[in-house]
Amino acid sequence: MSDEQVAAPTNRRRISQRGIATRDRILEAANRLMLVRGVNATTLDDIREASQTSKSQLYHHFADKQELVRALVKYRGALVLQRERAGLERLRSFSGLVRWRNALVQANSLNNGKYGCGLGSMALELSDQDEQARSSLSETFAAWEKLISDGLHRMRDSGLLRQDADPEKLATGLMAALQGGYLLANAAHDVAPMGVALDMALEHIKSFLVQPSAEPTP
């Protein structure tokens, strides 16, 4: 057997544009339903009905619910990172962090704080059930946190943050405040706890500014 034969994929499925559209429609429906109901409470029949697909169509793209959920973890992660890059890739000031904070709180207020973070809620349900899903979620959170720490590095490199500031630790603290804020807002159906959690984390970051009075508070 040649090297080319060994390297060639043996089970590649060609998907037409119509098939891609159907798969995306299934994932979009699963995303909507599982955000509101949760992963475990959402059935494949629920998703099939919401996506207006047949059983044969659904099973053509996803062998079972576990495969669909794993695909949804990546799908939802890509959506979150796309959104976060828009707000964080050019972050280089404390006021930029404030704007990022305000945008997240405002978006969550549209649901009165309900449902929490789409990634965080999946992590709560799946981390002890599916190691592959847990690993994928962890990678997404790490990428999200890196967007924050990269911005803090830019702030430190430009002289806005003191040299003793640790961007990685500050980013972890801010991410923890964000996820905890989502959880508390969900429990209260009120975004106020989320705002408080983020404000406290931002105040800690502000304490490392070279000229704290030069930057606004949330």
Side-chain angles (χ1 to χ4, degrees), residues 189-206:
H189 285 187
D190 184 351
V191 295
M194 178 184 181
V196 170
L198 285 171
D199 289 348
M200 296 294 288
L202 289 181
E203 280 297 317
H204 181 59
I205 293 174
K206 187 178 180 181

Side-chain angles (χ1 to χ4, degrees), residues 30-31 34-35 38-39 68-77 115 117-129 133-134 137 141:
N31 191 37
M34 290 184 179
L35 178 63
V39 173
L68 189 153
V69 169
R70 288 174 175 176
L72 179 59
V73 167
K74 294 182 179 180
Y75 175 85
R76 188 177 289 181
Y115 315 133
C117 172
L119 291 177
S121 61
M122 292 188 87
L124 286 173
E125 285 198 81
L126 298 175
S127 290
D128 294 331
Q129 299 178 14
R134 183 208 63 76
L137 284 162
F141 276 117

Side-chain angles (χ1 to χ4, degrees), residues 24-36 38 42 47 50-51 68-69 72 75-76:
D24 287 345
R25 192 166 73 249
I26 293 168
L27 285 172
E28 288 167 4
N31 191 37
R32 293 194 305 271
L33 290 175
M34 290 184 179
L35 178 63
V36 176
T42 303
I47 296 167
S51 62
L68 189 153
V69 169
L72 179 59
Y75 175 85
R76 188 177 289 181

